[in-house]
């Protein structure tokens, strides 16, 4: 029985599998529905072709894979390729057409001949849950940002002075807009009654908010066309933003509760700038297993905070920003570095020194993020919490 390589081109409703032997000869090519009985049958047929089967998959595809339906003890090894790698590799194969069968064959052959592919690792239950929760949180935050932008646009159309005066991301401003959206309505209620109305709804600094809103109303006495309908839309959008705020807060609690159950929780959150949300997103992006990357340099490259060389001929030492990296992980590294400048003296000194050398803000933050990757890597490797000063070595 020979060694077999099987490539899977996963789809929403159907998958295509191609299995090849050591010489690249095609042994099986089959299209199956994304249904457990058919996937189990495919798995059994491929396993019957050889003693050892290595599966190749397209990265980023979360759809059901045949190997996932097998019992844990019998699941074969799996590697993954990026969509870009498959697209570029397919140019070296015969034919210009693109089909699921060809993509699966390219995946199988690339899995056979390449030695630098990353293995597929099944994360623990906590990491899987954090991927789901943090992904949902990103969707909610994006929805909230879009709704806030629509709210600002609508309010600018009828009451530009109030839109300039208010920060509509604050709860107090949203509560105000849920009740009063036009200059005339604010003038009718008056400053004192508006302050009382806000206090009854537990708005902080209600007196200051009422003063700002009433001053904006005193500066506009013109009623613009469509004011009534736009006011109702402002009311609806303000309510939607408050609802999204509540949903984000609820999912934040779920993320924190699940994150605390992970064995790296204390280590990750001890790092300055890495709080609950950013720490959970770090776990979701990396799985928490640093052995997958091998070195901190590879982790930094995966996170987009390490420059990529671009040398050619006599030109050497030419560095550029990488093109292929995990955008989500880069945001974690960059944002946590920004936070650490405010809360960590070592990070602040590094930032000030590099800025004094003439470096731009973004360059310095990326450089700081790169240094912090080494620190975080060492903490996770040793299983210890971050300390401002390194621990003293024991006397020999």
């Amino acid at each position: 029985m020979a060694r077999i390589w099987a490539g899977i081109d996963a789809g929403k409703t159907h998958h295509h599998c191609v299995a090849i032997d050591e010489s690249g000869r095609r042994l099986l090519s089959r299209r199956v529905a994304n249904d457990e009985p058919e996937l189990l049958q495919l798995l059994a047929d491929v396993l019957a072709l050889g003693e050892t089967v290595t599966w190749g998959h397209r990265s980023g595809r979360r759809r059901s894979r045949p190997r996932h339906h097998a019992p844990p003890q019998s699941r074969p090894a799996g590697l993954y390729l990026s969509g870009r790698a498959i697209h570029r590799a397919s140019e070296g194969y015969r034919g210009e057409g693109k089909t699921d069968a060809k993509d699966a064959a390219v995946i199988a052959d690339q899995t056979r001949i390449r030695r630098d592919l990353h293995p597929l690792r099944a994360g623990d239950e906590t990491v899987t849950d954090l991927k789901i929760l943090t992904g949902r949180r990103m969707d909610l935050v994006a929805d909230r940002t879009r709704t806030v932008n629509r709210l600002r646009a609508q309010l600018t159309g009828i009451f530009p002075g109030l839109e300039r005066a208010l920060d509509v991301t604050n709860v107090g401003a949203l509560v105000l807009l849920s009740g009063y959206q036009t200059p005339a309505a604010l003038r009718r209620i008056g400053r004192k009654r508006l302050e009382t109305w806000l206090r009854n709804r537990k708005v902080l600094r209600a007196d200051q908010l009422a003063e700002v809103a009433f001053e904006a109303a005193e500066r506009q006495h013109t009623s613009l066309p469509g004011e009534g309908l736009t006011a109702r839309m402002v009311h609806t959008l303000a309510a939607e933003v408050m609802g999204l705020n509540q949903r984000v807060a609820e999912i934040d609690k779920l993320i924190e509760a699940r994150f605390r159950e992970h064995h790296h929780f204390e280590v990750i959150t001890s790092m300055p700038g890495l709080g609950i949300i950013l720490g959970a997103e770090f776990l979701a992006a990396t799985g928490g297993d640093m052995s997958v990357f091998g070195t901190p340099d590879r982790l930094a490259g995966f996170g987009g905070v390490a420059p990529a060389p671009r040398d050619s001929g006599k030109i050497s030492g030419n560095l550029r920003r990488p093109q292929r990296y995990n955008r989500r992980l880069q945001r974690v590294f960059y944002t946590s570095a920004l936070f650490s400048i405010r809360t960590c003296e070592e990070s602040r000194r590094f930032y000030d020194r590099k800025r004094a050398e003439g470096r731009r803000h973004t360059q310095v933050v990326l450089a700081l993020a790169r240094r912090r990757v080494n620190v975080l890597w060492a903490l996770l490797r040793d299983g210890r919490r971050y300390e401002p000063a390194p621990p003293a070595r024991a006397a020999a």
Side-chain angles (χ1 to χ4, degrees):
M1 299 290 284
R3 187 176 179 183
I4 302 300
W5 287 264
I8 298 290
D9 185 64
K12 183 177 180 180
T13 59
H14 290 81
H15 306 325
H16 201 104
C17 175
V18 171
I20 60 176
D21 60 12
E22 295 180 353
S23 64
R25 182 170 61 93
R26 187 173 300 188
L27 303 177
L28 178 145
S29 180
R30 185 184 302 173
R31 184 172 185 261
V32 298
N34 189 9
D35 192 47
E36 183 173 346
E38 294 195 31
L39 293 174
L40 289 175
Q41 183 60 50
L42 173 65
L43 177 65
D45 293 344
V46 173
L47 292 177
L49 295 174
E51 296 177 351
T52 304
V53 179
T54 302
W55 295 82
H57 306 275
R58 185 195 300 267
S59 64
R61 297 295 182 93
R62 296 174 181 246
R63 295 146 185 163
S64 178
R65 300 186 179 109
R67 63 185 301 271
H68 291 173
H69 291 276
Q73 64 273 14
S74 64
R75 287 178 183 171
L79 305 172
Y80 70 86
L81 291 82
S82 67
R84 178 180 295 183
I86 297 170
H87 175 71
R88 291 181 174 177
S90 64
E91 296 178 356
Y93 292 81
R94 183 175 58 188
E96 297 184 1
K98 181 190 181 302
T99 63
D100 293 342
K102 181 179 180 180
D103 288 346
V106 170
I107 294 172
D109 197 46
Q110 289 292 300
T111 304
R112 178 179 66 92
I113 63 179
R114 291 183 59 171
R115 299 293 181 267
D116 60 341
L117 300 181
H118 295 285
L120 281 170
R121 297 174 182 263
D124 58 32
E125 194 70 21
T126 302
V127 172
T128 301
D129 290 347
L130 288 177
K131 288 180 180 179
I132 297 172
L133 291 172
T134 54
R136 176 57 178 161
R137 186 184 188 276
M138 292 178 64
D139 292 340
L140 290 174
V141 171
D143 291 341
R144 181 175 62 184
T145 300
R146 285 191 291 268
T147 307
V148 166
N149 290 337
R150 295 188 188 106
L151 173 60
R152 285 173 171 159
Q154 295 294 335
L155 186 60
T156 300
I158 60 171
F159 201 169
L162 186 61
E163 192 277 332
R164 289 194 304 269
L166 296 182
D167 181 2
V168 295
T169 60
N170 290 337
V171 176
L174 294 171
V175 172
L176 172 64
L177 293 176
S178 67
Y180 302 93
Q181 305 85 24
T182 63
L186 288 171
R187 286 195 298 270
R188 281 196 300 270
I189 190 176
R191 183 185 296 106
K192 290 298 182 182
R193 284 194 296 168
L194 178 61
E195 178 181 341
T196 303
W197 185 85
L198 292 172
R199 289 187 187 279
N200 292 338
R201 285 153 181 80
K202 298 180 174 57
V203 174
L204 297 177
R205 295 183 291 275
D207 54 341
Q208 300 178 16
L209 182 58
E211 180 69 23
V212 168
F214 195 77
E215 287 181 359
E218 286 294 329
R219 291 194 297 269
Q220 179 176 334
H221 291 266
T222 302
S223 178
L224 299 177
E227 184 178 79
L229 178 59
T230 305
R232 290 195 294 272
M233 294 182 64
V234 169
H235 165 80
T236 301
L237 291 170
E240 289 180 6
V241 175
M242 288 191 289
L244 288 169
N245 285 339
Q246 182 178 356
R247 293 164 68 183
V248 170
E250 291 172 354
I251 205 164
D252 284 349
K253 293 180 181 179
L254 294 176
I255 291 174
E256 179 176 0
R258 204 70 179 100
F259 185 25
R260 287 184 180 276
E261 298 176 4
H262 197 272
H263 59 280
H264 284 325
F265 171 79
E266 297 292 341
V267 175
I268 294 175
T269 54
S270 68
M271 188 78 178
L274 272 178
I276 299 295
I277 302 302
L278 289 178
E281 291 185 356
F282 171 79
L283 271 184
T286 63
D289 185 4
M290 297 297 99
S291 64
V292 174
F293 301 96
T295 65
D297 294 337
R298 293 186 67 180
L299 176 61
F302 180 68
V305 295
R310 193 174 187 178
D311 299 339
S312 179
K314 297 181 180 180
I315 299 177
S316 61
N318 185 22
L319 301 177
R320 63 172 176 84
R321 296 187 65 179
Q323 300 294 321
R324 295 184 295 171
Y325 57 89
N326 188 300
R327 265 65 177 171
R328 186 175 183 182
L329 186 58
Q330 187 197 54
R331 190 183 70 84
V332 171
F333 288 152
Y334 188 89
T335 307
S336 64
L338 279 177
F339 288 157
S340 71
I341 294 172
R342 308 174 189 173
T343 59
C344 178
E345 294 182 3
E346 288 82 2
S347 296
R348 187 71 207 185
R349 286 196 295 267
F350 177 87
Y351 178 84
D352 292 340
R353 184 174 73 253
K354 291 299 182 180
R355 288 288 284 169
E357 294 174 1
R359 302 291 182 85
R360 296 194 302 271
H361 169 77
T362 302
Q363 289 178 317
V364 177
V365 176
L366 286 172
L368 176 61
R370 176 64 186 88
R371 291 169 61 96
R372 285 165 51 85
V373 169
N374 291 341
V375 177
L376 183 58
W377 175 276
L379 295 179
L380 292 171
R381 179 197 61 197
D382 300 339
R384 61 184 177 87
R385 293 170 56 88
Y386 173 83
E387 299 176 7
R393 295 185 177 180

